[in-house]
Amino acid sequence: MNPSCFDTAVWRKKAIAFVTRCHQHLFGKNNEDPLVYLFRQGIKNEFAKQMLMGWNKYSQERPMENWGFGPGPKKLFLTKGLVIPYIVEKELKSVFIHSFEGNDGAGTSMVPGSSCSCMILQTGQGKSGQGKKAPPILVHDLFKGLFLFQETGGLGCIIIHPDPETPVDEDVKALIKNTEKEMP
């Protein structure tokens, strides 16, 4: 991706539309397979709704130019699977698609144009706000990380790096390194 030809505003608009449509598909009709998959991963429907998870029913190719990339013959491939957006302070940062079908098992990929290769999930420091701050937990399996975040009620910090093809973000490396320094 050539950064000088990439328009983040166009990408964000297309990605929001994609995430919205996929969310409607997941909680619409004929959605038994993805909901069963989420159930088997321990993900509750209410949590999936809060995270704005969705389902891309069919793999599709889209012109890269329509998604904010420069002109060219390449196509953006959006695979069939569960769609997990990464939203920070009401701003869509990244979109991950988890394919749960096929002979190759399951895999997670990041939609090109996404700005963060990791999801940093945290909402609070405990009921009293006191006590020792828990170190962040780095997880590579998307649904194990989401399940952990769901079951802890969002306490602590879960870092999910689901796409092994992409390097870990520098801010995530710094967060982990700073936490290691704080640990006794």
Side-chain angles (χ1 to χ4, degrees):
M1 170 175 76
N2 183 351
S4 63
C5 294
F6 182 63
D7 186 336
T8 57
V10 172
W11 181 89
R12 193 168 287 114
K13 182 179 177 183
K14 286 292 189 177
I16 288 170
F18 175 68
V19 166
T20 302
R21 186 183 75 249
C22 291
H23 182 71
Q24 292 168 344
H25 286 170
L26 180 61
F27 295 102
K29 296 180 180 180
N30 303 317
N31 58 0
E32 295 82 14
D33 289 343
L35 289 177
V36 166
Y37 184 83
L38 288 174
F39 176 79
R40 287 184 177 155
Q41 300 302 312
I43 303 297
K44 298 172 184 165
N45 283 350
E46 192 56 41
F47 179 75
K49 287 178 184 178
Q50 289 170 357
M51 296 296 291
L52 297 175
M53 290 183 196
W55 178 38
N56 189 27
K57 288 184 179 185
Y58 307 103
S59 294
Q60 48 194 290
E61 287 185 351
R62 296 289 181 252
M64 295 284 281
E65 190 171 3
N66 292 358
W67 277 68
F69 297 91
K74 282 184 79 174
K75 299 280 187 179
L76 179 72
F77 185 71
L78 301 167
T79 188
K80 175 182 178 179
L82 288 162
V83 174
I84 297 87
Y86 177 47
I87 301 168
V88 178
E89 296 176 2
K90 298 184 181 182
E91 184 179 330
L92 181 64
K93 298 286 188 181
S94 300
V95 179
F96 298 93
I97 302 177
H98 181 80
S99 175
F100 60 93
E101 297 177 338
N103 296 332
D104 59 349
T108 301
S109 60
M110 185 171 68
V111 173
S114 296
S115 63
C116 303
S117 66
C118 298
M119 298 173 72
I120 302 172
L121 304 175
Q122 57 187 3
T123 58
Q125 296 299 323
K127 293 181 181 171
S128 67
Q130 299 176 356
K132 195 171 184 180
K133 189 174 166 184
I137 300 171
L138 178 63
V139 181
H140 293 287
D141 182 286
L142 178 64
F143 284 100
K144 286 181 182 174
L146 290 170
F147 177 76
L148 186 58
F149 186 68
Q150 169 190 275
E151 294 302 302
T152 61
L155 301 177
C157 178
I158 311 297
I159 301 170
I160 306 172
H161 181 250
D163 187 355
E165 299 295 316
T166 60
V168 174
D169 299 329
E170 290 302 317
D171 56 338
V172 172
K173 288 179 185 176
L175 175 66
I176 293 169
K177 193 174 213 173
N178 288 339
T179 305
E180 289 172 349
K181 288 179 184 176
E182 294 173 11
M183 299 300 288

